[in-house]
Amino acid sequence: FQSIPTVGAADCEFFTIGDVSYLAIVAAADANSVIYRWNGAVFALFQTIPTHGARDCEFFAIGDDSFLAIANGRTDSTHNVDSQIYRWDGTQFIAFQAIATQGAADWESFTIGEDSFLAVANGYDDVSYSVDSRLYKWDGMSFVAYQFMPTHGAADWEFFTVGDDCFLAVANGYDDLTRSLDSTV
């Protein structure tokens, strides 16, 4: 249907704001990530976003506000790089909040009751793959640290419910010694 030029693409996210459709593609290479907007016939370049070894993007809404979280995995010199949350200002995404991350690989947004959360999977801090991943809670103005969870080369989060019970699962990939290790629910 359509070829979209990318440089080291690592993830894509489709979303709508109002009645307009968008496709975000993040670059794991040293390149900007890009948001495309559907123009009725094709996805056309809409906005570029500076990223650093991006590995994931997560679109979510809280009330009337729309956000796009980018998991920055590394720069040329370190895996300790801020990831960025962007907020829709009515015409484009603007930088909203930087979050300190260590080799970030994934964001997962979810809501429990009236509370909104954002979990980041941290995978490597330049010394070890056994690094805490973090859960942030929306306080009405910004995301604040809520809980630290021990993880090992964390690659992905998944939130789900079974009946009335809420779960958060993390895919652990490496613990400095082996890739044969347990993931955690």
Side-chain angles (χ1 to χ4, degrees):
F1 176 75
Q2 178 181 357
S3 292
I4 295 177
T6 57
V7 179
D11 187 40
C12 54
E13 179 90 352
F14 174 82
F15 55 92
T16 59
I17 300 174
D19 60 355
V20 181
S21 297
Y22 298 88
L23 181 65
I25 301 177
V26 295
D30 287 332
N32 287 332
S33 294
V34 183
I35 301 172
Y36 295 87
R37 179 173 54 198
W38 181 251
N39 68 11
V42 296
F43 284 99
L45 179 62
F46 172 70
Q47 182 180 356
T48 59
I49 293 177
T51 54
H52 303 284
R55 297 192 41 209
D56 181 65
C57 59
E58 176 87 358
F59 175 81
F60 59 98
I62 300 174
D64 293 332
D65 293 319
S66 296
F67 298 90
L68 187 65
I70 306 290
N72 286 318
R74 59 160 182 77
T75 65
D76 286 340
S77 60
T78 185
H79 289 82
N80 297 312
V81 57
D82 286 353
S83 289
Q84 185 69 49
I85 301 168
Y86 293 86
R87 187 179 205 165
W88 182 254
D89 74 355
T91 59
Q92 66 179 347
F93 284 98
I94 58 170
F96 173 71
Q97 183 177 356
I99 304 272
T101 55
Q102 297 81 37
D106 183 61
W107 283 107
E108 178 78 1
S109 65
F110 58 94
T111 302
I112 300 174
E114 306 231 350
D115 295 321
S116 296
F117 297 92
L118 194 56
V120 64
N122 286 320
Y124 182 64
D125 68 0
D126 291 339
V127 176
S128 176
Y129 290 88
S130 294
V131 57
D132 285 346
S133 290
R134 294 183 175 97
L135 181 62
Y136 295 87
K137 183 178 179 184
W138 178 250
D139 72 358
M141 299 294 290
S142 65
F143 291 93
V144 295
Y146 182 75
Q147 184 177 356
F148 297 90
M149 293 158 284
T151 55
H152 308 283
D156 189 45
W157 282 109
E158 187 67 30
F159 174 80
F160 58 98
T161 60
V162 178
D164 292 334
D165 296 322
C166 298
F167 297 91
L168 188 60
V170 64
N172 287 313
Y174 186 65
D175 71 354
D176 299 315
L177 298 173
T178 183
R179 296 194 185 285
S180 297
L181 66 153
D182 294 338
S183 291
T184 308
V185 178

